[in-house]
Amino acid sequence: MTNPIAEKRDYEEELRQAGVRITRPRRIILGILSETEDHPDALAIFRRAVALDSSISLSTVYRTMKLLETVGAIRRHAFEGGPSRFEQAGGAHHDHLIDIETGDVVEFRSDRIEKLQDEVARALGYEIVHHRLELYGRKLRSK
Amino acid sequence: MTNPIAEKRDYEEELRQAGVRITRPRRIILGILSETEDHPDALAIFRRAVALDSSISLSTVYRTMKLLETVGAIRRHAFEGGPSRFEQAGGAHHDHLIDIETGDVVEFRSDRIEKLQDEVARALGYEIVHHRLELYGRKLRSK
DNA sequence: ACTTACTTGCAAACGATTTGCAATTGCATT
DNA sequence: AATGCAATTGCAAATCGTTTGCAAGTAAGT
């Protein structure tokens, strides 16, 4: 995350391996994703992309996001109310806390919660394939 | 849930109190909701409603659902992939486990998970306003 | 450089949901 | 029971986020 160039290179190689052509729009979108710390939606990515190459279309952004998703390079989140937002895959599993005032997303992980989820599911006669845990909250006015 | 008529009556009274007119379509939709054990989407409600009064429109179903939601009589859930699904409000808080093969919804409640969520949020400097916890799984082939 | 399949941009289609509008209806009032 | 008006309806058209058909453009193996 501190070295965008190295990150981007890996990304491209990873995709080439998956049989994906590296085109100009894709390179640009990948660059944006690898430099991004937040969870942008398609339109935000599109806006940033257009700034680098005005010929890029929103459809291409959507198509690329879908491609990256099926290849497993990114993850899509449909938080309440808004459009899908994306994040790079590859990190460890985590859940999200969404600031309902700013839309900011904070990632967190609780093994204890994960474990309890499994227990609950098993008790109901199910095995979990995946889950969605989103906390919607507001910042505490700190002391 | 065993006495639809009594349930429906309460429902109507509750709404009248909230200043909502009881119209024919609304009465029908309320009847459907109070007899329903599952988590139907707008289209499913519409289909059941049309069977009782063919003049009811899908827009009215949507408008009524929105109305009931703001009045607090029902709750809306946007499970992954599909349209919003609804359930009567009023019961205790619970989360959902969705059978990814059948779409069936199982309600559950875990105070331990709730508690951990609060702890996590607080540790991050937030207070939870609401949350969404959905487990997507498949039935265990029981012993 | 040549070819061919993969990608693109554009505009039109999409599914779920909402909305403008003119016609209808609940219900408080006579 | 008849009246009046605001609330509600059905319909069609609009909306939002996203996907798709198509003809033109391009990556990359030869």
Side-chain angles (χ1 to χ4, degrees), chain A residues 37-85:
Chain A
E37 263 337 277
D38 57 357
H39 295 67
D41 59 33
L43 199 54
I45 294 169
F46 171 66
R47 280 195 233 95
R48 297 178 204 180
V50 164
L52 302 175
D53 176 347
S54 64
S55 75
I56 287 178
S57 79
L58 181 55
S59 337
T60 294
V61 172
Y62 275 112
R63 273 192 279 236
T64 302
M65 299 324 282
K66 172 152 286 188
L67 174 72
L68 296 178
E69 195 185 358
T70 65
V71 163
I74 63 165
R75 233 180 280 297
R76 171 195 303 258
H77 298 290
F79 298 135
E80 277 185 6
S84 293
R85 298 172 64 171

Side-chain angles (χ1 to χ4, degrees), chain B:
Chain B
M1 286 130 201
T2 36
N3 189 336
I5 290 149
E7 288 278 334
K8 199 191 304 177
R9 279 278 123 73
D10 285 340
Y11 235 150
E12 289 191 12
E13 195 43 42
E14 185 187 330
L15 290 175
R16 241 182 261 275
Q17 234 63 55
V20 174
R21 280 192 191 171
I22 303 304
T23 65
R24 180 162 165 67
R26 283 182 186 164
R27 199 186 321 272
I28 289 175
I29 292 171
L30 290 172
I32 291 170
L33 288 173
S34 58
E35 287 170 32
T36 256
E37 262 337 277
D38 56 357
H39 294 67
D41 59 32
L43 198 55
I45 294 168
F46 171 65
R47 279 194 235 96
R48 298 177 203 181
V50 164
L52 301 176
D53 176 347
S54 64
S55 75
I56 287 177
S57 80
L58 182 54
S59 336
T60 294
V61 172
Y62 275 111
R63 274 192 278 235
T64 301
M65 298 323 283
K66 172 152 286 187
L67 174 72
L68 295 178
E69 195 184 358
T70 65
V71 162
I74 64 167
R75 232 179 283 296
R76 170 194 304 256
H77 299 290
F79 298 134
E80 278 186 5
S84 294
R85 297 172 65 172
F86 305 90
E87 67 178 5
Q88 303 175 70
H93 165 71
H94 56 257
D95 294 306
H96 300 89
L97 185 158
I98 297 92
D99 186 316
I100 58 178
E101 260 139 32
T102 66
D104 288 352
V105 174
V106 183
E107 304 179 349
F108 69 86
R109 172 167 180 67
S110 165
D111 292 314
R112 302 174 64 195
I113 292 181
E114 305 281 323
K115 188 155 205 251
L116 286 169
Q117 288 176 6
D118 276 338
E119 290 177 21
V120 166
R122 205 166 309 134
L124 294 171
Y126 282 84
E127 64 173 334
I128 296 178
V129 174
H130 67 283
H131 72 256
R132 171 154 88 170
L133 170 56
E134 292 156 12
L135 308 181
Y136 294 85
R138 69 168 62 89
K139 255 198 180 92
L140 290 165
R141 56 253 170 292
S142 309
K143 58 271 142 185

Side-chain angles (χ1 to χ4, degrees), chain A residues 117-135:
Chain A
Q117 288 175 6
D118 276 336
E119 289 178 20
V120 165
R122 205 164 311 134
L124 294 171
Y126 281 84
E127 63 174 335
I128 295 179
V129 173
H130 67 283
H131 72 255
R132 173 154 87 170
L133 170 56
E134 291 156 12
L135 307 181

